[in-house]
Amino acid sequence: MLKINPVALAVTAALFLPQTSQADSDLSAVERRLNQLEARLQKAERRADEAERRARLAEQRLAQTAPAAAIPATASDAHTPQTPPAIRQGSAQAPAVVAGPQPPVAPSPADQPQAVRPAEKTLADGFEFHAYARSGLIMNDSASSTKSGPYLTPAGETGGAVGRLGNENNTYVEINMEHKTQLANGATTRFKVMLADGQSDYNDWTADSSDLNIRQAFVELGSLPTFKGMFADSTLWAGKRFDRDNFDIHWLDSDVVFLAGTGGGIYDVRWADGVKSNLSVYGRNFGDIETIDNTIQNYIVTANTFSGPLQFMLSGLRAKDNDERVNTAVRSDNAGDSGVHAMLAWHGDSFYGLRDGQSKTALLYGHGLGAEVKGIGSDGNLTDSASTWRLASYGMTPLNQTWSLAPALLAQQSKDRYVAGDSYRWVTANARLLQSINENFMLAYEGSYQYMDLDPQGFKSRQNVSGGFYKLTFAPTFKPGDIGNFLSRPEIRFFASWMDWDNALDRYASDDAFGTSGFTAGGEWNFGVQMETWF
């Protein structure tokens, strides 16, 4: 509190009060003015005392009610991109955005009345909102509807993606809402729900064709104070979710590995410095089988271990009674009821050790029900003897201030997949090149080549075919900034795509895109516009 010094007042008055010869000789006039000034200062002191008293009362009420304060958002599950999220086929893990005000500093315990100090009150909580969306229009050179999609080719049935730029006609939206809290004992909680919808209808009202769905709904508990030792930094979870450590090749719209379903587990069990594991069990459904009165449920037990840039993932699968399912073909075979899946991956912090950027490479193997190596446990028609090998590799690097490059390679071989003796082999080579023109405009170029050799042995009336597919895309693109970043959004793209394929592929199946009326080998031009965003 400011104290009044009479000497200082006298000096101030002498310096700043109007100076006249009459005032110098009239001490009583100076004294009156000093008295008036002192009275005003005393009145100001009383007002300050009252304001200070009210502030103390407000602090006491705040300490008694212990209101929650917003905490800043943190990163979500690893569609974004580390890839976006995995922005996968119909999916995204988008990169999170820090949102909301910083939390105020909590009053110290000494400032709180002991009688109202809570033992385990919530210190801070906060809501987050994240989203992914894409939507666009595509047509052929006759201004007519056309076929498109990253899994357009016959190899697409077994995961052979060919590149998404200038090759998508759907609207897909994910809405992610999260609530996080931190308790006084240090424990944290997280609840997440994802609402998603996807369709190809261009109308403004599409309720009749909607695929609206709750894709995720789960809870996590972290930093539990009773968890010690190797579990000290672990996180428990349960519910319906995408696994936290899925990753993908975004510009192909292809997961490298995608584990999802309903279940529970624990993340970040630490065995040693730099070595940790995630343990989980997921459930999925394969649907009904006519021969038995039963809905088949598939259970997946997974151990996912990380050591520096290395990742080793091992899963076991079991679906009781699924061996009653029959795959009809030239020779019929029963589906399997068990399987294994393994993945060895390298997560690099450079472009294959050659230059700045990032790169990832994974080798996957699956047997039996694990032979669908990309979407673990998602295919109930796999036989007990099915086996699949898959190689996935991609990278991103700036070449200079104008150009950036992102190549990708996918290759897969699958045998005895649905019937004994079948074979599905394909390889995709893809590259996207970005040319920055100015702060808000760039040119994107993408090229894809896929070779396939498919021998389904009559499964689903498919025919034995082999041949190649080619796609080139040119896409002038607008962005608000960060123009050379492959994984920054939003973007608005205009595009022109040309694609062609060997005419032998037209006879693979009667119900796929190739070989349908007006869509046969010989070259196809597609044009359109698309937006894509995530946050």
Side-chain angles (χ1 to χ4, degrees), residues 73-239:
T74 57
S76 309
D77 294 345
H79 133 162
T80 227
Q82 114 273 13
T83 42
I87 311 299
R88 42 172 299 284
Q89 183 180 355
S91 159
Q93 292 178 329
V97 174
V98 175
Q102 294 291 332
V105 177
S108 68
D111 295 332
Q112 299 186 28
Q114 186 66 29
V116 298
R117 191 182 310 151
E120 293 297 337
K121 284 285 187 180
T122 297
L123 292 182
D125 62 20
F127 286 94
E128 296 182 19
F129 174 74
H130 308 285
Y132 169 79
R134 64 174 180 264
S135 183
L137 174 74
I138 191 170
M139 69 183 76
N140 63 18
D141 54 2
S142 298
S144 177
S145 62
T146 186
K147 306 295 183 181
S148 62
Y151 294 85
L152 177 71
T153 72
E157 286 192 331
T158 54
V162 293
R164 68 194 304 172
L165 186 64
N167 198 27
E168 291 179 316
N169 70 335
N170 66 333
T171 294
Y172 178 76
V173 178
E174 289 179 357
I175 301 299
N176 295 276
M177 291 172 285
E178 299 187 28
H179 180 258
K180 295 180 178 180
T181 62
Q182 182 180 18
L183 306 184
N185 65 359
T188 62
T189 73
R190 176 190 181 209
F191 169 68
K192 177 174 180 176
V193 61
M194 174 194 283
L195 191 67
D197 184 30
Q199 58 179 286
S200 299
D201 196 318
Y202 288 152
N203 292 336
D204 62 326
W205 187 260
T206 54
D208 292 340
S209 58
S210 173
D211 290 326
L212 192 64
N213 176 46
I214 295 178
R215 298 198 70 186
Q216 298 192 75
F218 65 87
V219 163
E220 291 182 347
L221 304 179
S223 302
L224 299 179
T226 57
F227 279 25
K228 306 295 183 183
M230 61 192 296
F231 299 102
D233 299 319
S234 62
T235 299
L236 290 172
W237 70 268

Side-chain angles (χ1 to χ4, degrees), residues 341-529:
H341 177 280
M343 180 185 73
L344 180 64
W346 174 273
H347 302 270
D349 58 2
S350 67
F351 185 72
Y352 299 104
L354 302 175
R355 54 186 302 118
D356 291 341
Q358 63 172 281
S359 56
K360 296 178 185 288
T361 300
L363 180 65
L364 302 97
Y365 173 75
H367 186 79
L369 288 181
E372 174 42 66
V373 292
K374 182 182 73 168
I376 304 176
S378 61
D379 192 341
N381 288 313
L382 296 163
T383 70
D384 262 336
S385 57
S387 65
T388 300
W389 286 94
R390 182 181 178 99
L391 174 68
S393 185
Y394 72 92
M396 296 177 283
T397 184
L399 301 177
N400 52 43
Q401 292 184 342
T402 301
W403 295 89
S404 300
L405 174 66
L409 177 70
L410 279 178
Q412 181 170 298
Q413 174 179 290
S414 191
K415 292 184 176 181
D416 302 325
R417 188 178 180 93
Y418 301 121
V419 294
D422 68 13
S423 175
Y424 300 83
R425 298 186 298 171
W426 53 261
V427 59
T428 297
N430 170 275
R432 186 177 292 191
L433 193 64
L434 304 183
Q435 180 187 9
S436 301
I437 304 302
N438 58 41
E439 183 180 357
N440 302 119
F441 181 66
M442 70 179 183
L443 300 176
Y445 312 86
E446 184 174 278
S448 293
Y449 171 73
Q450 182 182 83
Y451 178 80
M452 66 205 79
D453 184 1
L454 312 176
D455 184 7
Q457 290 288 300
F459 179 63
K460 292 186 176 180
S461 300
R462 302 302 196 239
Q463 302 297 311
N464 180 13
V465 298
S466 62
F469 170 88
Y470 321 83
K471 182 180 81 75
L472 294 172
T473 298
F474 172 66
T477 302
F478 294 88
K479 298 175 71 168
D482 205 9
I483 194 70
N485 188 335
F486 277 98
L487 301 178
S488 69
R489 298 294 184 272
E491 289 184 355
I492 294 178
R493 317 164 178 132
F494 299 86
F495 61 81
S497 289
W498 177 86
M499 54 188 173
D500 196 8
W501 54 95
D502 292 339
N503 57 18
L505 302 179
D506 287 342
R507 62 182 178 84
Y508 177 70
S510 60
D511 59 351
D512 72 342
F514 285 11
T516 58
S517 177
F519 196 76
T520 57
E524 177 84 4
W525 278 100
N526 288 333
F527 304 92
V529 59

